[in-house]
Amino acid sequence: MKKYKGELMNSIRLIVTDLDFTLLNEHFELSESTKEILSRILESGVEFVPCSSRPLSEIPQWLRQQKKIHWIVTANGGLIVDNQTGETLVSNTLPASKAKALLTLAEPMNPHWSCLIEGHLHSHLAILDDRKALKIAGSYLENILKNRIWESGKDFLDTLPDAQIAKIHFITSRDFPEKKQALIDLLSQEKGISLTSSHPSNLEILHPLANKGDAVRWVMQQLNCTPEEAVACGDNANDLPMLQAVYHSVAVANATDEVLAMARHHALSHREDGAAKMMEQLLGQA
């Protein structure tokens, strides 16, 4: 097993990373090379935490099976889950009544929504009806067909009055960015929520306290870890709070200009296992 200088000097103790378009490849999978690197990192004793907008049910199974991964951050920081017990340790969510009001407000503009409830995304069937226009195909389509709960409309929330919604996720068309901006303009007037995005074609509504930065700070507190001892990797706007929370901020080559501008380190793209290779490089140089 490869030894890292960081293991001996204890200079890097925590690595957190986004998944889609960062750690996962263009097929939304962990490559074999990335798995090998992550296995070495876990064996070295460095804490590794996936930090994703995905629900727990859509976190790659390989990660969930790793006994040395103690925490998984989902819903853009809205939920922190114990990977061994499944217990939710941190929860910042919206009530069902608030979620339905937001869906009602936005429905004339965009019916392509999902609500994250208890680790599963409940998605409007309009997403499947309009999948060609939304450019949903291939492995992504296969994944959502397998993992989502499909709803005919927002009224399903009336049957779950006590449900806590970790996020609302709107899909928009990449061909019409002005429609996404109009949705942002509409929803930004609402109180008691925050808006973020993990991809040019989506918009996510969260509890005001739900963000990857606060989630990473919670993990660092559990480990008594300083920002200088932590690495974070990301590609999009929702990753900025996480990257700002640590010293070793990493942007993959396919990241947005904003992320590239603020990151301390630049890695190869997600198609080239850039995040995993940079993790290994930083541990070797520590």
Side-chain angles (χ1 to χ4, degrees):
M1 180 63 64
K2 180 176 179 178
K3 295 289 185 179
Y4 297 117
K5 293 179 183 177
E7 180 183 355
L8 300 175
M9 297 175 62
N10 202 31
S11 57
I12 291 178
R13 300 174 51 214
L14 171 66
I15 296 175
V16 296
T17 183
D18 175 50
L19 295 182
D20 292 295
F21 303 101
T22 301
L23 190 68
L24 306 185
N25 62 21
E26 68 271 27
H27 305 296
F28 300 98
E29 299 172 344
L30 292 165
S31 72
E32 291 305 313
S33 174
T34 289
K35 289 179 184 178
E36 291 173 5
I37 292 172
L38 294 181
S39 294
R40 291 196 290 269
I41 289 172
L42 291 169
E43 285 299 318
S44 76
V46 173
E47 198 75 41
F48 177 83
V49 180
C51 195
S52 177
S53 66
R54 289 185 174 213
L56 186 63
S57 61
E58 295 183 24
I59 298 295
Q61 193 67 24
W62 188 89
L63 294 172
R64 295 175 64 185
Q65 291 173 341
Q66 302 307 305
K67 293 183 178 180
K68 294 188 177 182
I69 293 180
H70 298 113
W71 302 292
I72 295 179
V73 177
T74 71
N76 274 324
L79 301 171
I80 303 176
V81 179
D82 185 311
N83 189 43
Q84 302 310 312
T85 67
E87 179 186 1
T88 298
L89 304 174
V90 175
S91 177
N92 290 300
T93 57
L94 300 170
S97 58
K98 178 69 170 179
K100 186 174 181 182
L102 292 168
L103 294 179
T104 301
L105 177 66
E107 193 167 41
M109 190 176 295
N110 189 334
H112 305 119
W113 50 256
S114 298
C115 292
L116 178 53
I117 304 172
E118 294 185 356
H120 293 276
L121 279 171
H122 294 247
S123 298
H124 196 312
L125 281 167
I127 292 173
L128 293 182
D129 294 338
D130 298 332
R131 60 184 179 275
K132 289 185 179 179
L134 296 171
K135 298 183 179 178
I136 297 174
S139 58
Y140 179 63
L141 177 59
E142 293 176 8
N143 183 54
I144 66 172
L145 286 172
K146 180 174 63 175
N147 290 300
R148 303 285 176 91
I149 299 170
W150 295 96
E151 306 289 355
S152 59
K154 63 184 181 297
D155 290 345
F156 85 96
L157 287 167
D158 293 335
T159 67
L160 302 169
D162 298 324
Q164 294 297 307
I165 286 72
K167 73 169 182 175
I168 300 171
H169 178 182
F170 284 99
I171 298 177
T172 62
S173 172
R174 280 173 270 184
D175 295 332
F176 301 100
E178 67 276 7
K179 291 187 177 181
K180 177 178 175 179
Q181 187 57 52
L183 191 60
I184 292 171
D185 293 342
L186 174 69
L187 294 171
S188 63
Q189 305 302 313
E190 294 296 304
K191 296 181 179 180
I193 62 172
S194 64
L195 305 180
T196 191
S197 179
S198 59
H199 189 264
S201 64
N202 78 21
L203 179 67
E204 302 187 23
I205 304 174
L206 307 166
H207 186 280
L209 298 179
N211 67 80
K212 291 186 179 184
D214 284 343
V216 169
R217 281 185 279 272
W218 182 91
V219 172
M220 289 195 293
Q221 186 176 28
Q222 310 313 302
L223 298 171
N224 194 24
C225 174
T226 68
E228 290 76 18
E229 297 172 312
V231 175
C233 305
D235 76 299
N236 219 308
N238 65 321
D239 299 318
L240 286 169
M242 171 177 71
L243 299 176
Q244 292 163 347
V246 306
Y247 178 80
H248 296 285
S249 52
V250 177
V252 287
N254 52 285
T256 64
D257 291 342
E258 187 179 16
V259 172
L260 288 166
M262 70 81 54
R264 183 175 294 272
H265 307 282
H266 289 178
L268 297 173
S269 78
H270 70 302
R271 297 172 181 266
E272 304 166 279
D273 302 319
K277 290 176 180 177
M278 179 57 72
M279 294 172 196
E280 191 162 52
Q281 179 180 331
L282 290 172
L283 286 173
Q285 291 178 351

